[in-house]
Amino acid sequence: MNEPLIDSPEREKPVDLRRYLQVVLKRRWVILAVFAVILIAVALKTYTATPVYRATGRLIIEKSLSGSSVMPQNGMFYEIWDPQFYNTQHKIIQSRAVAASVIDRLNLEHSEEFFPEPKDDPVSRVKRFIADQVQGVKQSAAALFRTGDRQAVPQPDQADSKGPDSGLISAVMDRITVTPVRDTRLVDVSFDAKDPVLAAMIANAVAQAYIEGNLETRLASVKDAVEWLSDRIEDERRKVNEAEYALLQYKERNKIITDFSSDTEQVTAQKLAQLNAQVVDAESARVEAETLLNQALALRGSPELIGSIPDVLSNSLISEIKSMEVDIYKQMSELSKKYGKNHPRMVALDSELKELNARKAKEVERVVNSLRNRYMVAQAKEESLKRAFEEQKEQALQLNEKAIRYSLLNREVESAREMYDLLVKRFKEATVAEDMKADNVRVIDRAEVPASPVSPDKRRNLLLALAVGLALGVGAAFLLEYLDNTIKLPEELKDHLDIAYLGPVPAFQPEGDGVSAGGDLACVHSPRSGASEAYRGIRTNLLFSSAGSAPQVILITSATPQDGKTVTTANLGVTMAQAGSRTVIIDCDLRKPKLHKVFGVKADCGLTNLLVGAKGSEQAILATEVPGLDLIPSGPIPPNPSEMLGSSQMADLLTTLRSRYERILLDSPPVTAVTDATVLASAVDGVVLVIRAGSTVRAAAAGAVDQIRTVGGHILGGLLNAVDADGGKYYYQHYYYHYYGDDGEKKKKSRRKRRSSGA
C-alpha cells in the first residue's frame, strides 16, 4: 500500500514534480487554449498597431554659473551634486508650461498627430454613436444632481480662449520622456509620435522651450534682484548719511577733535599713574615734614635734646656755634685753674658763652620755623596733587564715556557704509549678469528624425505573449485543478477519506447495445481487456484486505448516484466466480434496481419475495451464464425499502446464504441519497466504496465514509471507477496495461466518446 501523502509534524511533505506534470498534461487543452488566445490577440494587436517613432535630443544642465555651487577639495574645485535640483529640472521639462509653449511654437492645435480625421467606415460611425450616447447619459445624470443656477467656472486652460486646451497639453506631456544619463549632467529628452519628422521637431521644440523658459526665469529673477537692490541701496545710502551726521554732531557737541584711539587711552592712563605716584610722594614728604616738626616742637624746651634733630645737626651755623662754645669751654677751663671764676677774663668768656647760647637758641628757633614751613609746603603740595588727581580721574571717566558713545556711533557709520558697499557690489554683479544673458542649459545633440519605430516591438511583444500566455495557461490549469474538488488520484483516498485503495477501473466501451444486452460485463465479453484485468486486481485486493480470513459478505455502494457501483458489483461477482468461489449477487437497490438488466434477466421475483416469504420465492435465486455465479434480483419494488433491508428476515437470509455461498455481494443505493446502505453496513463483513474518478466530490465521499463508520460498518477500501485511460493515462499508467487479443494484435482504443461502466 502506498505511503499516505499527508503533512507530518516530523517531516514536510515532499514536492511531487510528477503530480505537477500530470496536472499540466491533463489540462493541456486549457493551457493550449489560453496560450493560443493570448498569442493571437497580441499578434493581431502588434501587427495592426500604428508604428510609433521616438526622437531623442540631449541637453546638459549645470546647477550654477556663478560658482556658488562648488567647494574646494584637495586644491581642486568640484560641483556639489544636488539630486533635488536635477529632479526638479526634469519635472520642469515635462511641465504644462513647456508643453503649452511647444504647442504654440509648432501650432499643434491643428496637427493630424493629435486630431486625426475621423474615419467614415461603419465601425467608426457605430463607435462615435455609442460614445455620443454615453456622453449624453453622463451629462443628463450630472444635470439631475446639479442644484441651483451655478455659473460655469472656467478652468485654468479654458480661461484663455486663445491658449491650447487641457487635453492637448496632457497629450503632449504624456509623450515627453526625460532620461538622465547616469553619472553625468546630461539629460535625454525624447518624444513619441506616429510621424518621425514631427517627433524630431517636437523633441527639439521641447528642449528649446525649456532653455528659453529657464533663461526667462533666471533673467526675471535677476531683474527683480536689480530692482530690489536699487531700493535697498537708496535706503542704505540714507542710513549712511544719517549715521555720519549723528557722529559729526556728537563730536561738535563734545568738542572732539581727533578720533579716539588706543594711544589716547594710553596717555590718559599714564597721566593718572604719574599723578598717583606724585600724590604718594607728596603724602610721604608731608608725613616726614610733619614728623620732624612735631619732634622739633616736642624738644624745643630741651636744648640738650633738640640738637639731635637732623636739621639742627646739619645746620652749619649751629655747628660753628658749638665749635666756638667748645673753645670757650677750653679757655674757661684753663683760666679757671689760674685765675678763678671771678677773673675778668672768666667773666668775659662767660658773657661770650651766653651770647653764643642765645645765638644758638635763635638759630634753633629758625630751624623749627623752617620745619614748619616745610610741613606746610608739603601739605599744600599734597592737597594740590590730590585735587589734580581727582580732576584727571574725572576727565578720564568722561573720556571713556565719550569714547564708548563715539565708538557706537562710529560703528553704526562703518556698518551702514559696509552694507551700502556690499549692495553696490551686488548691484553691479546683477547688472553684469543681466547684460550677459548666459544660461546654464545647453543643447549637446539635437534630435534627429528616427529611422525605425520603437513601438510596437514585434519581437518583444511576441516573446512576451509566449511567456505570458504559457504562464497564464499553466496558471489557469492549476486554478481549475485547485477548484476541482473531486477525487481523481489514488493518494486522495488516503489523504481525504482515510481508507485503503483497492485499485482503478478504466472507462470502457460496453459491447452490444448497452445494459439491456449485458454489454457492461467486461469480464465476460472482454476477458483480456484492461477493465477485466482491473476487476481481477480489485478482487485479489479484496480477498487479502482483512487479516485472517477473506470477507464473505461484501456490500458495494457509492457516495453519489451514477458512480458505477452496479456494474462494479456485477464484474466483481464474475471475477470471484471465475476464480472458483461459489458466488451470489443480491440486488439490494430496491429503489432503482439495475442488476437484472446487466445480466439480462427478469426481476419479477427476487429479494423482496424472499424477505416477505411469498409463494414461489424459491425462484428468486437465478443462475447466470457465468458458472458458479447466481443472482438474486430486487423483485417487486416495496414502499419501505429501508425497513425491509434492516429486518430480521434480511439477517436470516444472509445467514442462510453464508452456508451456501463462499462470496456474497450486495449492491445497495448510494450512501448519501438514502439510508439503505448504512442499514446494511452493520450486517456485512465489509463495505467497498465505489468512487467515480473526476466526478465524486470529496465532501460527499467523506460524508459517506463517516455515515458507514457511525453505524459500525467496516470499510474494506475504495476503488476509482471510470478512469479515462486516454485523458489520464499519466495518472494511472503504472496500475494497468493494454492487453493483446488471441490473434496477437494489440487492440486499438476508440477515439469516440465512451460511456462509463455505471452509466
Side-chain angles (χ1 to χ4, degrees):
M1 188 175 295
N2 295 334
E3 184 180 356
L5 298 176
I6 58 176
D7 293 337
S8 174
E10 290 81 9
R11 60 189 180 94
E12 295 182 357
K13 182 178 179 181
V15 178
D16 190 356
L17 297 179
R18 291 177 298 177
R19 178 175 294 186
Y20 296 150
L21 179 60
Q22 291 166 358
V23 173
V24 171
L25 293 175
K26 177 184 177 182
R27 307 283 183 178
R28 60 187 180 273
W29 294 114
V30 174
I31 297 174
L32 291 176
V34 174
F35 175 78
V37 169
I38 293 179
L39 182 61
I40 293 173
V42 172
L44 289 175
K45 180 66 177 178
T46 299
Y47 285 96
T48 57
T50 303
V52 176
Y53 295 85
R54 174 173 296 174
T56 302
R58 177 162 294 184
L59 305 177
I60 182 171
I61 302 176
E62 296 176 342
K63 183 177 180 181
S64 176
L65 291 173
S66 61
S68 60
S69 62
V70 298
M71 62 178 301
Q73 180 178 353
N74 298 329
M76 304 292 290
F77 283 85
Y78 300 93
E79 183 173 350
I80 301 174
W81 177 258
D82 188 357
Q84 293 183 350
F85 169 78
Y86 289 100
N87 291 335
T88 302
Q89 299 306 311
H90 299 166
K91 294 301 181 181
I92 291 176
I93 297 175
Q94 296 176 297
S95 64
R96 301 182 66 84
V98 172
S101 177
V102 171
I103 293 172
D104 291 338
R105 288 169 181 268
L106 302 180
N107 195 20
L108 298 180
E109 295 179 344
H110 306 287
S111 174
E112 283 287 335
E113 180 74 23
F114 300 97
F115 301 99
E117 291 293 335
K119 297 181 180 179
D120 199 22
D121 55 280
V123 176
S124 301
R125 287 196 295 269
V126 171
K127 289 182 178 180
R128 286 196 299 272
F129 175 77
I130 295 175
D132 294 340
Q133 296 301 319
V134 171
Q135 185 65 25
V137 171
K138 289 182 178 180
Q139 294 177 355
S140 301
L144 291 176
F145 294 98
R146 188 181 298 115
T147 58
D149 296 334
R150 297 183 181 179
Q151 294 182 355
V153 179
Q155 299 297 326
D157 292 318
Q158 298 174 353
D160 186 5
S161 60
K162 297 181 180 180
D165 61 76
S166 177
L168 180 57
I169 293 177
S170 300
V172 174
M173 290 173 58
D174 292 340
R175 299 192 188 187
I176 300 175
T177 305
V178 179
T179 306
V181 180
R182 185 178 180 85
D183 298 330
T184 66
R185 301 186 190 93
L186 300 176
V187 175
D188 289 339
V189 179
S190 305
F191 190 85
D192 298 342
K194 300 174 184 178
D195 185 358
V197 177
L198 183 62
M201 293 174 59
I202 295 179
N204 291 324
V206 168
Q208 192 63 32
Y210 165 67
I211 292 174
E212 293 181 0
N214 182 69
L215 181 59
E216 290 177 359
T217 302
R218 294 173 65 87
L219 292 179
S221 62
V222 170
K223 290 180 180 179
D224 294 340
V226 169
E227 294 178 358
W228 181 82
L229 287 172
S230 299
D231 298 337
R232 285 299 305 274
I233 286 173
E234 292 298 327
D235 294 340
E236 293 301 325
R237 182 185 291 114
R238 178 177 50 80
K239 291 181 180 179
V240 170
N241 294 334
E242 292 176 355
E244 290 179 345
Y245 182 72
L247 179 61
L248 180 61
Q249 283 185 333
Y250 182 78
K251 292 174 67 176
E252 291 177 352
R253 186 167 56 251
N254 293 276
K255 298 180 180 180
I256 299 174
I257 300 174
T258 60
D259 296 336
F260 288 95
S261 62
S262 59
D263 294 338
T264 304
E265 297 178 356
Q266 187 174 2
V267 170
T268 303
Q270 289 177 357
K271 288 182 179 180
L272 285 174
Q274 291 176 358
L275 287 174
N276 187 34
Q278 292 177 4
V279 169
V280 173
D281 293 340
E283 186 177 2
S284 300
R286 190 265 305 167
V287 171
E288 182 181 359
E290 185 178 6
T291 302
L292 292 174
L293 177 61
N294 292 334
Q295 185 180 5
L297 292 175
L299 298 177
R300 179 187 292 179
S302 302
E304 298 82 4
L305 298 177
I306 198 171
S308 61
I309 297 174
D311 287 279
V312 175
L313 290 175
S314 62
N315 192 287
S316 59
L317 181 57
I318 293 176
S319 298
E320 185 180 354
I321 291 173
K322 285 183 177 181
S323 299
M324 294 174 66
E325 285 181 345
V326 171
D327 291 339
I328 291 174
Y329 279 120
K330 286 182 180 182
Q331 293 177 14
M332 288 180 68
S333 177
E334 292 176 357
L335 291 176
S336 65
K337 292 178 180 180
K338 290 180 179 184
Y339 304 107
K341 298 191 289 186
N342 295 320
H343 190 275
R345 292 186 65 181
M346 288 293 291
V347 173
L349 289 172
D350 184 57
S351 175
E352 188 178 353
L353 182 61
K354 289 181 179 179
E355 184 179 357
L356 289 173
N357 287 332
R359 289 178 60 190
K360 184 173 67 173
K362 186 177 181 181
E363 187 63 25
V364 169
E365 185 64 25
R366 190 183 65 80
V367 170
V368 171
N369 291 333
S370 176
L371 290 174
R372 181 180 289 108
N373 292 333
R374 185 191 303 174
Y375 166 72
M376 294 178 64
V377 170
Q379 186 178 18
K381 183 178 180 181
E382 179 186 6
E383 292 177 355
S384 175
L385 288 175
K386 284 184 177 180
R387 286 194 300 271
F389 179 75
E390 292 297 329
E391 291 176 358
Q392 186 64 34
K393 186 190 294 185
E394 183 68 23
Q395 291 178 2
L397 292 176
Q398 293 178 359
L399 183 63
N400 290 337
E401 183 179 357
K402 292 178 181 180
I404 292 174
R405 180 60 180 169
Y406 177 84
S407 299
L408 180 61
L409 294 174
N410 191 42
R411 282 196 299 269
E412 290 180 357
V413 172
E414 293 178 354
S415 177
R417 187 177 291 114
E418 289 178 358
M419 179 60 69
Y420 175 76
D421 294 340
L422 179 61
L423 290 175
V424 170
K425 180 181 178 181
R426 294 298 184 189
F427 179 79
K428 292 179 179 179
E429 293 177 354
T431 305
V432 172
E434 183 179 9
D435 294 337
M436 289 178 59
K437 296 183 179 180
D439 197 10
N440 61 331
V441 182
R442 301 187 306 276
V443 176
I444 302 300
D445 295 323
R446 290 181 57 83
E448 298 181 355
V449 178
S452 59
V454 295
S455 175
D457 189 342
K458 299 179 181 179
R459 180 180 179 183
R460 183 194 63 185
N461 291 353
L462 293 180
L463 290 177
L464 187 62
L466 291 173
V468 173
L470 185 60
L472 291 179
V474 173
F478 279 94
L479 177 61
L480 293 176
E481 189 70 16
Y482 174 77
L483 297 176
D484 186 1
N485 62 347
T486 60
I487 298 177
K488 301 174 291 296
L489 298 175
E491 293 82 358
E492 295 180 4
L493 272 70
K494 185 64 178 177
D495 293 344
H496 301 285
L497 306 181
D498 194 22
I499 61 176
Y501 176 60
L502 300 177
V505 177
F508 60 91
Q509 177 66 26
E511 295 184 0
D513 191 17
V515 296
S516 61
D520 285 321
L521 295 176
C523 296
V524 176
H525 303 288
S526 302
R528 299 183 61 83
S529 64
S532 299
E533 184 62 27
Y535 285 122
R536 284 191 284 270
I538 295 172
R539 175 200 63 190
T540 303
N541 292 334
L542 275 176
L543 297 180
F544 291 96
S545 61
S546 299
S549 60
Q552 184 178 8
V553 182
I554 302 174
L555 173 65
I556 301 175
T557 185
S558 63
T560 57
Q562 304 298 326
D563 285 347
K565 59 178 181 57
T566 299
V567 175
T568 300
T569 303
N571 283 279
L572 285 178
V574 172
T575 58
M576 290 182 178
Q578 290 175 346
S581 298
R582 181 69 177 169
T583 305
V584 62
I585 301 176
I586 305 176
D587 191 352
C588 295
D589 190 351
L590 303 181
R591 302 173 188 272
K592 293 183 179 181
K594 294 181 181 179
L595 274 174
H596 62 285
K597 296 181 180 180
V598 174
F599 286 94
V601 297
K602 295 182 179 181
D604 297 339
C605 183
L607 177 61
T608 54
N609 300 95
L610 293 175
L611 294 179
V612 298
K615 183 178 180 181
S617 58
E618 62 277 0
Q619 299 178 358
I621 302 177
L622 305 176
T624 64
E625 59 180 330
V626 180
L629 177 63
D630 293 338
L631 171 66
I632 300 179
S634 62
I637 297 177
N640 53 348
S642 298
E643 288 76 5
M644 295 189 67
L645 294 177
S647 63
S648 58
Q649 289 83 357
M650 184 65 186
D652 295 339
L653 175 62
L654 291 178
T655 302
T656 303
L657 294 177
R658 283 178 183 272
S659 61
R660 295 178 55 183
Y661 296 94
E662 297 179 53
R663 304 286 178 262
I664 303 173
L665 303 182
L666 280 66
D667 178 25
S668 72
V671 178
T672 58
V674 291
T675 61
D676 299 1
T678 56
V679 171
L680 294 172
S682 59
V684 299
D685 297 337
V687 179
V688 174
L689 188 64
V690 178
I691 298 173
R692 189 179 184 87
S695 177
T696 304
V697 180
R698 296 169 188 167
V705 171
D706 291 339
Q707 292 184 35
I708 294 173
R709 287 175 175 170
T710 300
V711 299
H714 174 57
I715 300 179
L716 299 176
L719 60 89
L720 286 177
N721 188 30
V723 176
D724 188 357
D726 284 341
K729 62 182 178 180
Y730 288 96
Y731 279 73
Y732 305 101
Q733 61 181 357
H734 56 292
Y735 292 106
Y736 63 90
Y737 305 89
H738 296 288
Y739 284 79
Y740 291 87
D742 294 338
D743 55 358
E745 295 182 359
K746 186 178 180 180
K747 296 183 178 180
K748 298 181 180 179
K749 292 187 177 181
S750 174
R751 294 290 182 178
R752 63 183 179 271
K753 183 178 179 181
R754 292 176 174 83
R755 182 170 57 88
S756 68
S757 59

